[in-house]
mmCIF file of all heavy atoms in Angstrom:
data_model
loop_
_atom_site.group_PDB
_atom_site.id
_atom_site.type_symbol
_atom_site.label_atom_id
_atom_site.label_comp_id
_atom_site.label_asym_id
_atom_site.label_seq_id
_atom_site.Cartn_x
_atom_site.Cartn_y
_atom_site.Cartn_z
ATOM 1 N N GLN A 1 -46.059 101.649 104.625
ATOM 2 C CA GLN A 1 -44.820 101.931 103.905
ATOM 3 C C GLN A 1 -45.108 102.394 102.483
ATOM 4 O O GLN A 1 -44.505 103.349 101.978
ATOM 5 C CB GLN A 1 -43.927 100.689 103.873
ATOM 6 C CG GLN A 1 -43.314 100.315 105.204
ATOM 7 C CD GLN A 1 -42.390 99.114 105.090
ATOM 8 O OE1 GLN A 1 -42.045 98.662 104.007
ATOM 9 N NE2 GLN A 1 -41.993 98.569 106.230
ATOM 10 N N LEU A 2 -46.025 101.729 101.828
ATOM 11 C CA LEU A 2 -46.353 102.070 100.446
ATOM 12 C C LEU A 2 -46.984 103.456 100.344
ATOM 13 O O LEU A 2 -46.688 104.222 99.410
ATOM 14 C CB LEU A 2 -47.308 101.024 99.868
ATOM 15 C CG LEU A 2 -46.729 99.613 99.729
ATOM 16 C CD1 LEU A 2 -47.846 98.629 99.401
ATOM 17 C CD2 LEU A 2 -45.650 99.570 98.659
ATOM 18 N N LEU A 3 -47.822 103.804 101.287
ATOM 19 C CA LEU A 3 -48.453 105.125 101.292
ATOM 20 C C LEU A 3 -47.417 106.231 101.469
ATOM 21 O O LEU A 3 -47.532 107.313 100.860
ATOM 22 C CB LEU A 3 -49.509 105.205 102.394
ATOM 23 C CG LEU A 3 -50.791 104.401 102.146
ATOM 24 C CD1 LEU A 3 -51.652 104.363 103.401
ATOM 25 C CD2 LEU A 3 -51.578 104.989 100.971
ATOM 26 N N LEU A 4 -46.397 105.975 102.275
ATOM 27 C CA LEU A 4 -45.325 106.959 102.454
ATOM 28 C C LEU A 4 -44.559 107.175 101.159
ATOM 29 O O LEU A 4 -44.224 108.309 100.803
ATOM 30 C CB LEU A 4 -44.374 106.503 103.565
ATOM 31 C CG LEU A 4 -44.876 106.638 104.997
ATOM 32 C CD1 LEU A 4 -43.871 106.025 105.980
ATOM 33 C CD2 LEU A 4 -45.112 108.103 105.352
ATOM 34 N N VAL A 5 -44.295 106.083 100.460
ATOM 35 C CA VAL A 5 -43.601 106.193 99.175
ATOM 36 C C VAL A 5 -44.454 106.991 98.190
ATOM 37 O O VAL A 5 -43.972 107.911 97.522
ATOM 38 C CB VAL A 5 -43.286 104.804 98.588
ATOM 39 C CG1 VAL A 5 -42.677 104.945 97.194
ATOM 40 C CG2 VAL A 5 -42.339 104.039 99.500
ATOM 41 N N ALA A 6 -45.733 106.643 98.111
ATOM 42 C CA ALA A 6 -46.636 107.313 97.175
ATOM 43 C C ALA A 6 -46.738 108.806 97.461
ATOM 44 O O ALA A 6 -46.837 109.624 96.538
ATOM 45 C CB ALA A 6 -48.017 106.667 97.231
ATOM 46 N N LYS A 7 -46.686 109.162 98.720
ATOM 47 C CA LYS A 7 -46.786 110.566 99.117
ATOM 48 C C LYS A 7 -45.588 111.365 98.647
ATOM 49 O O LYS A 7 -45.706 112.554 98.322
ATOM 50 C CB LYS A 7 -46.906 110.656 100.644
ATOM 51 C CG LYS A 7 -47.048 112.066 101.189
ATOM 52 C CD LYS A 7 -47.176 112.052 102.701
ATOM 53 C CE LYS A 7 -47.297 113.467 103.256
ATOM 54 N NZ LYS A 7 -47.412 113.456 104.743
ATOM 55 N N GLU A 8 -44.416 110.722 98.580
ATOM 56 C CA GLU A 8 -43.170 111.427 98.297
ATOM 57 C C GLU A 8 -42.813 111.507 96.816
ATOM 58 O O GLU A 8 -41.830 112.145 96.460
ATOM 59 C CB GLU A 8 -42.016 110.750 99.059
ATOM 60 C CG GLU A 8 -42.098 110.898 100.568
ATOM 61 C CD GLU A 8 -42.052 112.353 101.007
ATOM 62 O OE1 GLU A 8 -41.227 113.101 100.451
ATOM 63 O OE2 GLU A 8 -42.846 112.724 101.888
ATOM 64 N N ILE A 9 -43.581 110.875 95.953
ATOM 65 C CA ILE A 9 -43.244 110.896 94.531
ATOM 66 C C ILE A 9 -44.342 111.591 93.737
ATOM 67 O O ILE A 9 -45.458 111.765 94.214
ATOM 68 C CB ILE A 9 -43.018 109.473 93.970
ATOM 69 C CG1 ILE A 9 -44.319 108.680 93.967
ATOM 70 C CG2 ILE A 9 -41.935 108.747 94.760
ATOM 71 C CD1 ILE A 9 -44.230 107.353 93.240
ATOM 72 N N ASP A 10 -43.977 111.991 92.517
ATOM 73 C CA ASP A 10 -44.970 112.569 91.627
ATOM 74 C C ASP A 10 -45.902 111.475 91.108
ATOM 75 O O ASP A 10 -45.636 110.288 91.257
ATOM 76 C CB ASP A 10 -44.287 113.266 90.457
ATOM 77 C CG ASP A 10 -43.599 114.554 90.869
ATOM 78 O OD1 ASP A 10 -44.120 115.250 91.758
ATOM 79 O OD2 ASP A 10 -42.520 114.867 90.317
ATOM 80 N N THR A 11 -46.962 111.881 90.467
ATOM 81 C CA THR A 11 -47.956 110.946 89.956
ATOM 82 C C THR A 11 -47.343 109.995 88.927
ATOM 83 O O THR A 11 -46.733 110.436 87.954
ATOM 84 C CB THR A 11 -49.107 111.706 89.287
ATOM 85 O OG1 THR A 11 -49.678 112.624 90.219
ATOM 86 C CG2 THR A 11 -50.189 110.736 88.802
ATOM 87 N N PRO A 12 -47.489 108.699 89.126
ATOM 88 C CA PRO A 12 -46.961 107.744 88.138
ATOM 89 C C PRO A 12 -47.730 107.822 86.817
ATOM 90 O O PRO A 12 -48.954 107.962 86.809
ATOM 91 C CB PRO A 12 -47.170 106.385 88.801
ATOM 92 C CG PRO A 12 -47.411 106.666 90.256
ATOM 93 C CD PRO A 12 -48.070 108.006 90.296
ATOM 94 N N ASP A 13 -46.998 107.717 85.719
ATOM 95 C CA ASP A 13 -47.630 107.548 84.418
ATOM 96 C C ASP A 13 -47.840 106.062 84.139
ATOM 97 O O ASP A 13 -48.732 105.687 83.380
ATOM 98 C CB ASP A 13 -46.730 108.141 83.323
ATOM 99 C CG ASP A 13 -46.528 109.635 83.501
ATOM 100 O OD1 ASP A 13 -47.463 110.397 83.195
ATOM 101 O OD2 ASP A 13 -45.444 110.028 83.970
ATOM 102 N N LEU A 14 -46.987 105.257 84.765
ATOM 103 C CA LEU A 14 -47.040 103.806 84.588
ATOM 104 C C LEU A 14 -46.827 103.130 85.937
ATOM 105 O O LEU A 14 -45.832 103.391 86.615
ATOM 106 C CB LEU A 14 -45.948 103.365 83.605
ATOM 107 C CG LEU A 14 -45.761 101.857 83.383
ATOM 108 C CD1 LEU A 14 -47.033 101.225 82.837
ATOM 109 C CD2 LEU A 14 -44.594 101.617 82.429
ATOM 110 N N LEU A 15 -47.761 102.304 86.331
ATOM 111 C CA LEU A 15 -47.683 101.562 87.588
ATOM 112 C C LEU A 15 -47.611 100.077 87.271
ATOM 113 O O LEU A 15 -48.572 99.492 86.757
ATOM 114 C CB LEU A 15 -48.908 101.868 88.457
ATOM 115 C CG LEU A 15 -49.056 101.089 89.760
ATOM 116 C CD1 LEU A 15 -47.877 101.348 90.691
ATOM 117 C CD2 LEU A 15 -50.372 101.458 90.454
ATOM 118 N N ILE A 16 -46.452 99.471 87.535
ATOM 119 C CA ILE A 16 -46.256 98.050 87.262
ATOM 120 C C ILE A 16 -46.274 97.277 88.573
ATOM 121 O O ILE A 16 -45.376 97.428 89.410
ATOM 122 C CB ILE A 16 -44.940 97.796 86.510
ATOM 123 C CG1 ILE A 16 -44.962 98.515 85.157
ATOM 124 C CG2 ILE A 16 -44.717 96.291 86.312
ATOM 125 C CD1 ILE A 16 -43.713 98.308 84.327
ATOM 126 N N LEU A 17 -47.305 96.465 88.761
ATOM 127 C CA LEU A 17 -47.483 95.697 89.986
ATOM 128 C C LEU A 17 -46.974 94.281 89.731
ATOM 129 O O LEU A 17 -47.693 93.420 89.230
ATOM 130 C CB LEU A 17 -48.961 95.715 90.385
ATOM 131 C CG LEU A 17 -49.532 97.136 90.562
ATOM 132 C CD1 LEU A 17 -51.019 97.084 90.840
ATOM 133 C CD2 LEU A 17 -48.791 97.894 91.661
ATOM 134 N N ASN A 18 -45.716 94.072 90.114
ATOM 135 C CA ASN A 18 -44.998 92.872 89.708
ATOM 136 C C ASN A 18 -44.548 91.984 90.864
ATOM 137 O O ASN A 18 -44.175 90.835 90.653
ATOM 138 C CB ASN A 18 -43.770 93.308 88.883
ATOM 139 C CG ASN A 18 -42.821 92.175 88.592
ATOM 140 O OD1 ASN A 18 -43.099 91.303 87.776
ATOM 141 N ND2 ASN A 18 -41.674 92.172 89.275
ATOM 142 N N ALA A 19 -44.596 92.490 92.082
ATOM 143 C CA ALA A 19 -44.057 91.729 93.217
ATOM 144 C C ALA A 19 -44.778 90.399 93.385
ATOM 145 O O ALA A 19 -46.009 90.324 93.291
ATOM 146 C CB ALA A 19 -44.164 92.549 94.500
ATOM 147 N N GLY A 20 -44.014 89.353 93.615
ATOM 148 C CA GLY A 20 -44.621 88.049 93.821
ATOM 149 C C GLY A 20 -43.585 86.995 94.175
ATOM 150 O O GLY A 20 -42.391 87.183 93.924
ATOM 151 N N ILE A 21 -44.046 85.909 94.764
ATOM 152 C CA ILE A 21 -43.164 84.796 95.119
ATOM 153 C C ILE A 21 -43.810 83.490 94.682
ATOM 154 O O ILE A 21 -45.015 83.432 94.426
ATOM 155 C CB ILE A 21 -42.879 84.731 96.632
ATOM 156 C CG1 ILE A 21 -44.192 84.487 97.408
ATOM 157 C CG2 ILE A 21 -42.176 85.992 97.117
ATOM 158 C CD1 ILE A 21 -43.981 84.150 98.864
ATOM 159 N N TYR A 22 -42.994 82.469 94.589
ATOM 160 C CA TYR A 22 -43.498 81.128 94.303
ATOM 161 C C TYR A 22 -42.850 80.142 95.259
ATOM 162 O O TYR A 22 -41.628 80.098 95.403
ATOM 163 C CB TYR A 22 -43.184 80.701 92.870
ATOM 164 C CG TYR A 22 -43.391 79.220 92.621
ATOM 165 C CD1 TYR A 22 -44.673 78.691 92.512
ATOM 166 C CD2 TYR A 22 -42.307 78.351 92.541
ATOM 167 C CE1 TYR A 22 -44.874 77.334 92.312
ATOM 168 C CE2 TYR A 22 -42.498 76.992 92.336
ATOM 169 C CZ TYR A 22 -43.778 76.481 92.220
ATOM 170 O OH TYR A 22 -43.976 75.139 92.033
ATOM 171 N N GLU A 23 -43.685 79.356 95.924
ATOM 172 C CA GLU A 23 -43.209 78.252 96.747
ATOM 173 C C GLU A 23 -44.047 77.027 96.385
ATOM 174 O O GLU A 23 -45.277 77.084 96.444
ATOM 175 C CB GLU A 23 -43.348 78.564 98.234
ATOM 176 C CG GLU A 23 -42.412 79.661 98.720
ATOM 177 C CD GLU A 23 -42.540 79.908 100.221
ATOM 178 O OE1 GLU A 23 -43.347 79.199 100.871
ATOM 179 O OE2 GLU A 23 -41.859 80.808 100.732
ATOM 180 N N PRO A 24 -43.416 75.936 95.986
ATOM 181 C CA PRO A 24 -44.176 74.742 95.582
ATOM 182 C C PRO A 24 -44.924 74.122 96.757
ATOM 183 O O PRO A 24 -44.480 74.214 97.906
ATOM 184 C CB PRO A 24 -43.096 73.800 95.056
ATOM 185 C CG PRO A 24 -41.847 74.224 95.766
ATOM 186 C CD PRO A 24 -41.958 75.716 95.918
ATOM 187 N N VAL A 25 -46.042 73.530 96.446
ATOM 188 C CA VAL A 25 -46.819 72.816 97.462
ATOM 189 C C VAL A 25 -46.655 71.318 97.228
ATOM 190 O O VAL A 25 -47.023 70.795 96.170
ATOM 191 C CB VAL A 25 -48.309 73.190 97.385
ATOM 192 C CG1 VAL A 25 -49.118 72.316 98.350
ATOM 193 C CG2 VAL A 25 -48.508 74.658 97.711
ATOM 194 N N LEU A 26 -46.094 70.635 98.195
ATOM 195 C CA LEU A 26 -45.971 69.183 98.150
ATOM 196 C C LEU A 26 -47.159 68.597 98.898
ATOM 197 O O LEU A 26 -47.351 68.882 100.085
ATOM 198 C CB LEU A 26 -44.658 68.732 98.793
ATOM 199 C CG LEU A 26 -43.384 69.326 98.189
ATOM 200 C CD1 LEU A 26 -42.158 68.835 98.944
ATOM 201 C CD2 LEU A 26 -43.280 68.991 96.708
ATOM 202 N N ILE A 27 -47.960 67.836 98.202
ATOM 203 C CA ILE A 27 -49.205 67.355 98.791
ATOM 204 C C ILE A 27 -48.952 66.525 100.049
ATOM 205 O O ILE A 27 -49.776 66.481 100.964
ATOM 206 C CB ILE A 27 -50.016 66.551 97.747
ATOM 207 C CG1 ILE A 27 -51.493 66.527 98.143
ATOM 208 C CG2 ILE A 27 -49.462 65.151 97.560
ATOM 209 C CD1 ILE A 27 -52.166 67.870 98.065
ATOM 210 N N GLU A 28 -47.780 65.872 100.113
ATOM 211 C CA GLU A 28 -47.434 65.067 101.289
ATOM 212 C C GLU A 28 -47.059 65.940 102.488
ATOM 213 O O GLU A 28 -47.051 65.480 103.622
ATOM 214 C CB GLU A 28 -46.265 64.137 100.959
ATOM 215 C CG GLU A 28 -46.532 63.127 99.853
ATOM 216 C CD GLU A 28 -46.322 63.728 98.478
ATOM 217 O OE1 GLU A 28 -45.910 64.909 98.387
ATOM 218 O OE2 GLU A 28 -46.570 63.019 97.485
ATOM 219 N N LYS A 29 -46.720 67.222 102.213
ATOM 220 C CA LYS A 29 -46.334 68.144 103.286
ATOM 221 C C LYS A 29 -47.172 69.410 103.201
ATOM 222 O O LYS A 29 -46.667 70.525 103.264
ATOM 223 C CB LYS A 29 -44.847 68.470 103.189
ATOM 224 C CG LYS A 29 -43.929 67.268 103.346
ATOM 225 C CD LYS A 29 -42.470 67.667 103.251
ATOM 226 C CE LYS A 29 -41.557 66.453 103.401
ATOM 227 N NZ LYS A 29 -40.109 66.822 103.294
ATOM 228 N N PHE A 30 -48.460 69.195 103.041
ATOM 229 C CA PHE A 30 -49.385 70.316 102.866
ATOM 230 C C PHE A 30 -49.319 71.253 104.066
ATOM 231 O O PHE A 30 -49.420 70.807 105.215
ATOM 232 C CB PHE A 30 -50.803 69.786 102.697
ATOM 233 C CG PHE A 30 -51.756 70.757 102.085
ATOM 234 C CD1 PHE A 30 -51.856 70.885 100.720
ATOM 235 C CD2 PHE A 30 -52.551 71.549 102.899
ATOM 236 C CE1 PHE A 30 -52.751 71.780 100.145
ATOM 237 C CE2 PHE A 30 -53.442 72.446 102.338
ATOM 238 C CZ PHE A 30 -53.546 72.562 100.961
ATOM 239 N N CYS A 31 -49.128 72.552 103.790
ATOM 240 C CA CYS A 31 -48.956 73.528 104.868
ATOM 241 C C CYS A 31 -49.732 74.795 104.545
ATOM 242 O O CYS A 31 -49.467 75.455 103.533
ATOM 243 C CB CYS A 31 -47.473 73.848 105.049
ATOM 244 S SG CYS A 31 -47.144 75.100 106.304
ATOM 245 N N ILE A 32 -50.671 75.136 105.401
ATOM 246 C CA ILE A 32 -51.516 76.305 105.164
ATOM 247 C C ILE A 32 -50.707 77.597 105.120
ATOM 248 O O ILE A 32 -51.072 78.561 104.434
ATOM 249 C CB ILE A 32 -52.632 76.391 106.235
ATOM 250 C CG1 ILE A 32 -53.674 77.447 105.840
ATOM 251 C CG2 ILE A 32 -52.050 76.702 107.592
ATOM 252 C CD1 ILE A 32 -54.422 77.138 104.580
ATOM 253 N N GLU A 33 -49.604 77.643 105.835
ATOM 254 C CA GLU A 33 -48.778 78.854 105.862
ATOM 255 C C GLU A 33 -48.245 79.209 104.478
ATOM 256 O O GLU A 33 -48.052 80.385 104.159
ATOM 257 C CB GLU A 33 -47.618 78.680 106.847
ATOM 258 C CG GLU A 33 -48.041 78.584 108.303
ATOM 259 C CD GLU A 33 -48.819 79.803 108.771
ATOM 260 O OE1 GLU A 33 -48.471 80.924 108.331
ATOM 261 O OE2 GLU A 33 -49.773 79.634 109.541
ATOM 262 N N THR A 34 -47.993 78.197 103.666
ATOM 263 C CA THR A 34 -47.534 78.449 102.304
ATOM 264 C C THR A 34 -48.589 79.213 101.513
ATOM 265 O O THR A 34 -48.278 80.130 100.747
ATOM 266 C CB THR A 34 -47.215 77.116 101.585
ATOM 267 O OG1 THR A 34 -46.244 76.406 102.338
ATOM 268 C CG2 THR A 34 -46.687 77.362 100.184
ATOM 269 N N PHE A 35 -49.850 78.859 101.725
ATOM 270 C CA PHE A 35 -50.953 79.526 101.040
ATOM 271 C C PHE A 35 -51.128 80.959 101.544
ATOM 272 O O PHE A 35 -51.336 81.886 100.753
ATOM 273 C CB PHE A 35 -52.250 78.739 101.245
ATOM 274 C CG PHE A 35 -52.303 77.464 100.458
ATOM 275 C CD1 PHE A 35 -51.584 76.342 100.863
ATOM 276 C CD2 PHE A 35 -53.059 77.384 99.302
ATOM 277 C CE1 PHE A 35 -51.628 75.169 100.137
ATOM 278 C CE2 PHE A 35 -53.104 76.210 98.569
ATOM 279 C CZ PHE A 35 -52.386 75.096 98.981
ATOM 280 N N ILE A 36 -51.040 81.115 102.845
ATOM 281 C CA ILE A 36 -51.208 82.451 103.431
ATOM 282 C C ILE A 36 -50.108 83.392 102.950
ATOM 283 O O ILE A 36 -50.376 84.532 102.542
ATOM 284 C CB ILE A 36 -51.201 82.359 104.971
ATOM 285 C CG1 ILE A 36 -52.441 81.610 105.462
ATOM 286 C CG2 ILE A 36 -51.135 83.760 105.594
ATOM 287 C CD1 ILE A 36 -52.445 81.305 106.945
ATOM 288 N N LYS A 37 -48.868 82.916 102.963
ATOM 289 C CA LYS A 37 -47.737 83.753 102.566
ATOM 290 C C LYS A 37 -47.863 84.209 101.120
ATOM 291 O O LYS A 37 -47.673 85.400 100.810
ATOM 292 C CB LYS A 37 -46.432 82.981 102.763
ATOM 293 C CG LYS A 37 -45.182 83.767 102.421
ATOM 294 C CD LYS A 37 -43.936 82.924 102.679
ATOM 295 C CE LYS A 37 -42.666 83.688 102.348
ATOM 296 N NZ LYS A 37 -41.451 82.846 102.593
ATOM 297 N N GLN A 38 -48.184 83.285 100.215
ATOM 298 C CA GLN A 38 -48.282 83.657 98.807
ATOM 299 C C GLN A 38 -49.492 84.543 98.540
ATOM 300 O O GLN A 38 -49.437 85.441 97.693
ATOM 301 C CB GLN A 38 -48.300 82.398 97.939
ATOM 302 C CG GLN A 38 -46.946 81.689 97.967
ATOM 303 C CD GLN A 38 -46.856 80.493 97.042
ATOM 304 O OE1 GLN A 38 -46.863 80.638 95.834
ATOM 305 N NE2 GLN A 38 -46.769 79.307 97.626
ATOM 306 N N SER A 39 -50.577 84.324 99.268
ATOM 307 C CA SER A 39 -51.744 85.189 99.116
ATOM 308 C C SER A 39 -51.450 86.609 99.585
ATOM 309 O O SER A 39 -51.854 87.584 98.944
ATOM 310 C CB SER A 39 -52.933 84.621 99.901
ATOM 311 O OG SER A 39 -53.346 83.383 99.366
ATOM 312 N N GLU A 40 -50.731 86.731 100.685
ATOM 313 C CA GLU A 40 -50.430 88.053 101.237
ATOM 314 C C GLU A 40 -49.517 88.860 100.325
ATOM 315 O O GLU A 40 -49.652 90.085 100.226
ATOM 316 C CB GLU A 40 -49.814 87.912 102.626
ATOM 317 C CG GLU A 40 -50.811 87.479 103.690
ATOM 318 C CD GLU A 40 -50.179 87.353 105.069
ATOM 319 O OE1 GLU A 40 -48.927 87.317 105.148
ATOM 320 O OE2 GLU A 40 -50.936 87.302 106.052
ATOM 321 N N ILE A 41 -48.587 88.186 99.660
ATOM 322 C CA ILE A 41 -47.653 88.896 98.782
ATOM 323 C C ILE A 41 -48.195 89.009 97.359
ATOM 324 O O ILE A 41 -48.295 90.103 96.797
ATOM 325 C CB ILE A 41 -46.277 88.199 98.779
ATOM 326 C CG1 ILE A 41 -45.651 88.268 100.173
ATOM 327 C CG2 ILE A 41 -45.353 88.850 97.736
ATOM 328 C CD1 ILE A 41 -44.361 87.482 100.307
ATOM 329 N N ASN A 42 -48.559 87.874 96.774
ATOM 330 C CA ASN A 42 -48.927 87.850 95.362
ATOM 331 C C ASN A 42 -50.243 88.549 95.056
ATOM 332 O O ASN A 42 -50.380 89.189 94.011
ATOM 333 C CB ASN A 42 -49.018 86.410 94.869
ATOM 334 C CG ASN A 42 -47.703 85.675 94.929
ATOM 335 O OD1 ASN A 42 -46.677 86.234 95.305
ATOM 336 N ND2 ASN A 42 -47.719 84.406 94.565
#
C-alpha cells in the first residue's frame, strides 16, 4: 500500500514518520501479542 502511494506522489521534501500506538502492559496479564502489535506498527 505504501509503495503505491509513493509511486503516485511527487518527491517529498519532508517525510514525517509518526504512526504509532500505545497499549499498556500489565505484568499480571502479560501477553506477547501486545509486543508483536506495537513492534509491527511503531
Side-chain angles (χ1 to χ4, degrees):
Q1 290 183 10
L2 295 169
L3 288 170
L4 285 175
V5 175
K7 181 179 179 180
E8 292 299 317
I9 67 171
D10 288 325
T11 303
D13 298 285
L14 175 60
L15 175 61
I16 299 181
L17 303 175
N18 171 73
I21 63 169
Y22 167 74
E23 291 182 1
V25 174
L26 303 178
I27 202 67
E28 299 83 3
K29 298 181 180 179
F30 199 85
C31 177
I32 191 64
E33 293 302 323
T34 303
F35 287 76
I36 293 172
K37 182 179 180 181
Q38 291 185 69
S39 295
E40 288 180 345
I41 296 174
N42 297 358

